[in-house]
Amino acid sequence: MKYSFDEKIDRTGNHAAKWEEIGKKFISSDLWPMWIADMDLKTAPEIIEAMREKVEQGIFGYVYRPDSYYKCATDYLERRFGYQIEPSTLINSPGVVPTISILVRLLTKPRDKILIQTPVYYPFAASIRDNGRDVVENKLIKDEKGYYTIDFEDFEKKVSEEEINLFILCSPHNPVGRVWKKEELQKLSELCLKYKVRVISDEIWRDIIMPGYTHTPIASLSKEMENNTITCFSPTKTFNIAGLQASFVTFPRKEEWARFDEELGILDVKRNNPFSLVAFEAGYSKCDEWIDQLIEHLNGNMDYVVNFVSEKIPEVKVRKPEGTYLMWLDFSALGYKKEELSKFMQEKGKIALDDGFWFGENGTGFERMNIACPRYMVEEGMNRIEKAITEWRKDN
Ligand SMILES: Cc1ncc(COP(=O)(O)O)c(C=O)c1O
């Protein structure tokens, strides 16, 4: 491999929230950090080089975006997904979560109902509630093997019986790791068009797809669906540059692009910082090989976890994700209630994970583990979970 993902890392002095804010979020600060979605892996050398050149210029004033900024994003989409969009439909924004929050305000009124598919990335619900709108859940269906699918009957019931005109799709899905099949997206798209439900498609995970799966942008399914969808994406998860804070939104409708642009203007958050500007261009234009090798590494870490669980801790259930670098571990056989499981993992396992119930009530009994790190970190994490389960066995 040209790139190495197994270098020992030391994030001391990195001001890493993942390592140094553990004490704020969990019961103590000495837990093994496998929560929050950033990687304990260095970004691509091509990105570091582009940022180094910027540092060496020594001037970090206001920057403008050259035409090549959006062009490299659309070229990338065409090259990697065969998906063509016009650079002029894109707009830069400070992040996917702020984008969703602004869109919720632009597309709905207070107390409107917005549909999400739980368990799902918890800022979706927070953004709906914090903006004074109401969450309606279309709960995903889980089979006995931990495979999640969409409850289309319930989806249709909700969009036909309740006044819902906005749906936030997570595609690929965090935390359940599904890369939605074209047929599934087709069905969702038919229902949304039939019942006039606008779609915000959060596709921040679209680059991290395991071998054998293909991501389909929902907007690519038809002209009607393209016109009905606002898609959010970003290279921040892909290249581990979330701290640079920038993302892209695709607006098929010019008037909505303009309203969003105006909103960014009011907040005065239209510009990139000098580093996101060069990092994004380098990522989208020079790093395809790095992404392919990253995926190989993540895929190996996932296999390691799946094998470890089946050989050593069969009380736990896990299914290999189709995309993302997040594993959704089912601890429900231990019989703990929500906070009890969280406390157990922290006290007995000395590990920091994202508690399943943060993602919705139907995430109770689960913990989300981030495996985007060198293998030794995954091994340490799994050994700690095994230790906790050994303690549980003594009492059960
Ligand atoms: C589905 C999803 N959307 C958005 C984000 C965060 O996006 P941003 O940092 O651009 O706000 C995450 C981070 O984990 C995510 O999983």
Side-chain angles (χ1 to χ4, degrees), residues 36-38 94-100 120-121 123-124 170-174 202-205 234 236-237 242 245-247 325-326 368:
I36 213 171
D38 77 15
V96 172
V97 174
T99 298
I100 290 175
V120 73
Y121 181 54
F124 284 10
C170 194
S171 174
H173 193 281
N174 166 10
D202 178 342
E203 300 188 12
I204 198 168
W205 290 103
S234 155
T236 53
K237 296 287 154 201
Q245 291 191 309
S247 72
Y325 49 66
L326 308 165
R368 192 193 75 176

